Amino acid sequence: MPIPKMSDFDLKGKRTLIRVDFNVPLKNGEVTSDHRIRAALPTIKQALKAGAKVMLMSHLGRPVEGVHDETFSLAPVARELSKLLKTEVPLIQNWIDGFNMGNAQLVLLENVRFNHGETENNVELSKKIAALCDVFVMDAFATSHRAESSTSGVIKYAKEACVGPLMISELQALDKIMEKPAHPVLAIVGGSKVSTKLALLDSLVKKVDAIIIGGGIANTFLAAEGYTVGKSLYEPDLIDEAERLTLDAKKRNAEIPLPVDVVVAERFAENVEAYVRLVSQIDDNEKIFDVGPDTIKIFISLIKKAKTILWNGPIGAFEVEEFSKGTQAIAKAIAESKAFKVAGGGDTLAAIEKYRIGSKIDYISTGGGAFLTVLEGKKLPVIAALEERMIKNEKVA
């Protein structure tokens, strides 16, 4: 079912409420990364060009709901947005019961989580938010996996509701990965625990041609193969799941190549003594923090063959130089690949920034949880709300 888009509506003179994701990092009252703000600029400019009276709504951090806390104020975001747009963007403090925009064409509403009931998807709050606008635009992909008043709740009660350009581009990129990929398809999945990525691995093993796994996830798979992983982080209670996923992959002739050598140390720290070990030679007091040079060669070979690459998670503890070679090599190989490449997840974005390869990735998702939700084959609550609204409207018509 095609969902309504912002471009489908005549916004001239309409009070247009856009749910954006301005949950950005701050330090000493200043924005330290404007990536999410910049990602929203095309949508904002498109709405302004169409003649809309634009209201921007976002959360920031996790304040106590119903309490105004300056620590979580969007004031620094308003200043940063004003710089980027080269025009003052007023911050509206008390907006939930309605306000007059006057001659302003663009305003930013103070942190939506200062309102009690936001994260609980409170009906009354959703109705109040909906009453502010003629058109509601959901364009915060990073929050679209949450059923909250400012995301899916308002959709139910707004006069008109749709998705914005950023949401569309995110969904199209993920659709190209999951539904219409060019083969061979390679997924690179890192992380500390199988449990946090089990649903993702379950979904991917049915669709991709190979999965490179890293971090603590790989340790659990190594343990499932009978290797001793020393004091490494792994999940013994999920060894059966690792075995099942490996069997499922084999049934499809898909590869899950395990490390053949690893970088180990007795503790996680800068300038620690680190050693390369075969996976069959790990001592009981050692911990795995990265993959070794022979494993890197195997992984790079798979990257070179791939025509579609999904990257979610680093291969090792790349924050420490001694354990960064695996992730750095993978990042470089991905950057050089001619495949269609999509990346997402906070640690992945940190690696992309560290190795300065952002311009070499076809699509970098702004969402973490939402990114995983789609890849796991689940429906986003905001999409479900829009579809439910459309079905209801069709019945009324």
Side-chain angles (χ1 to χ4, degrees):
M1 180 182 292
I3 54 177
K5 305 176 183 65
M6 189 176 84
S7 57
D8 296 335
F9 295 88
D10 179 5
L11 300 181
K12 188 171 184 179
K14 299 281 183 68
R15 286 172 65 103
T16 303
L17 177 62
I18 305 176
R19 178 47 161 109
V20 291
D21 177 28
F22 287 165
N23 186 31
V24 297
L26 301 175
K27 186 175 182 180
N28 299 323
E30 297 294 330
V31 174
T32 57
S33 172
D34 64 359
H35 174 73
R36 287 181 170 178
I37 302 175
R38 287 182 180 276
L41 293 182
T43 301
I44 297 168
K45 289 176 180 178
Q46 184 177 322
L48 291 173
K49 187 176 180 181
K53 302 273 283 184
V54 180
M55 299 168 282
L56 304 176
M57 175 173 58
S58 178
H59 77 284
L60 177 64
R62 296 180 179 179
V64 175
E65 286 196 6
V67 178
H68 184 104
D69 184 344
E70 277 300 310
T71 306
F72 299 100
S73 173
L74 284 167
V77 175
R79 291 194 296 270
E80 188 67 23
L81 185 61
S82 298
K83 290 178 190 174
L84 291 171
L85 290 174
K86 297 179 181 177
T87 185
E88 185 181 355
V89 180
L91 179 67
I92 308 299
Q93 298 286 352
N94 302 306
W95 52 267
I96 193 59
D97 292 313
F99 65 97
N100 186 356
M101 286 185 68
N103 294 325
Q105 196 177 356
L106 173 66
V107 298
L108 174 62
L109 308 183
E110 183 59 285
N111 196 334
V112 68
R113 288 189 178 172
F114 288 172
N115 299 290
H116 185 72
E118 155 64 0
T119 58
E120 297 172 6
N121 199 11
N122 178 270
V123 171
E124 291 308 311
L125 179 59
S126 298
K127 287 180 178 179
K128 284 188 173 184
I129 294 172
L132 295 172
C133 63
D134 301 305
V135 180
F136 173 70
V137 181
M138 178 59 194
D139 207 39
F141 177 77
T143 66
S144 62
H145 62 302
R146 302 192 188 107
E148 299 179 341
S149 290
S150 69
T151 58
S152 61
V154 61
I155 289 172
K156 187 174 181 180
Y157 304 105
K159 294 176 187 175
E160 301 286 357
C162 60
V163 294
L166 181 57
M167 274 286 296
I168 293 167
S169 60
E170 293 267 9
L171 295 171
Q172 286 176 341
L174 290 171
D175 184 64
K176 191 170 179 179
I177 281 276
M178 299 303 289
E179 304 299 332
K180 305 163 188 174
H183 289 268
V185 181
L186 171 66
I188 301 167
V189 180
S192 59
K193 295 181 179 180
V194 173
S195 54
T196 60
K197 299 285 178 79
L198 182 58
L200 173 62
L201 291 169
D202 247 332
S203 176
L204 292 176
V205 80
K206 298 177 179 71
K207 298 179 179 181
V208 304
D209 301 293
I211 305 177
I212 291 174
I213 52 175
I217 295 174
N219 298 342
T220 301
F221 276 76
L222 285 170
E225 291 292 316
Y227 292 105
T228 299
V229 295
K231 292 184 178 179
S232 306
L233 175 65
Y234 82 108
E235 294 174 286
D237 57 330
L238 286 175
I239 283 176
D240 288 347
E241 291 291 349
E243 291 174 343
R244 178 184 62 78
L245 288 165
T246 301
L247 184 60
D248 287 347
K250 285 179 179 177
K251 287 177 182 177
R252 291 188 56 251
N253 292 319
E255 296 180 71
I256 304 183
L258 295 181
V260 295
D261 59 346
V262 292
V263 178
V264 301
E266 292 189 2
R267 59 194 174 88
F268 180 71
E270 296 280 359
N271 302 316
V272 72
E273 286 190 272
Y275 307 92
V276 175
R277 298 266 194 252
L278 294 176
V279 292
S280 58
Q281 298 176 338
I282 299 166
D283 290 344
D284 290 342
N285 64 333
E286 292 177 332
K287 297 180 181 180
I288 301 170
F289 290 113
D290 196 10
V291 294
D294 289 340
T295 302
I296 289 172
K297 289 175 185 176
I298 294 169
F299 289 174
I300 288 176
S301 176
L302 283 170
I303 292 170
K304 286 181 177 179
K305 293 176 189 173
K307 290 187 178 177
T308 303
I309 298 173
L310 167 68
W311 185 17
N312 178 242
I315 295 302
F318 73 100
E319 302 89 345
V320 171
E321 193 60 35
E322 286 80 0
F323 313 131
S324 65
K325 290 184 176 62
T327 300
Q328 184 174 12
I330 292 297
K332 184 172 182 269
I334 291 171
E336 293 174 353
S337 168
K338 302 297 183 185
F340 177 74
K341 298 158 284 191
V342 172
D347 289 337
T348 313
L349 298 186
I352 287 170
E353 286 189 10
K354 181 175 180 178
Y355 301 120
R356 299 179 181 179
I357 62 165
S359 63
K360 304 295 184 180
I361 308 294
D362 293 287
Y363 197 84
I364 300 174
S365 177
T366 58
F371 183 75
L372 290 179
T373 298
V374 175
L375 293 177
E376 289 166 5
K378 300 172 185 174
K379 185 166 286 188
L380 296 169
V382 297
I383 300 301
L386 281 166
E387 290 179 347
E388 186 179 317
R389 178 189 174 101
M390 291 169 67
I391 292 169
K392 183 179 178 181
N393 289 344
E394 284 178 2
K395 287 180 179 177
V396 172

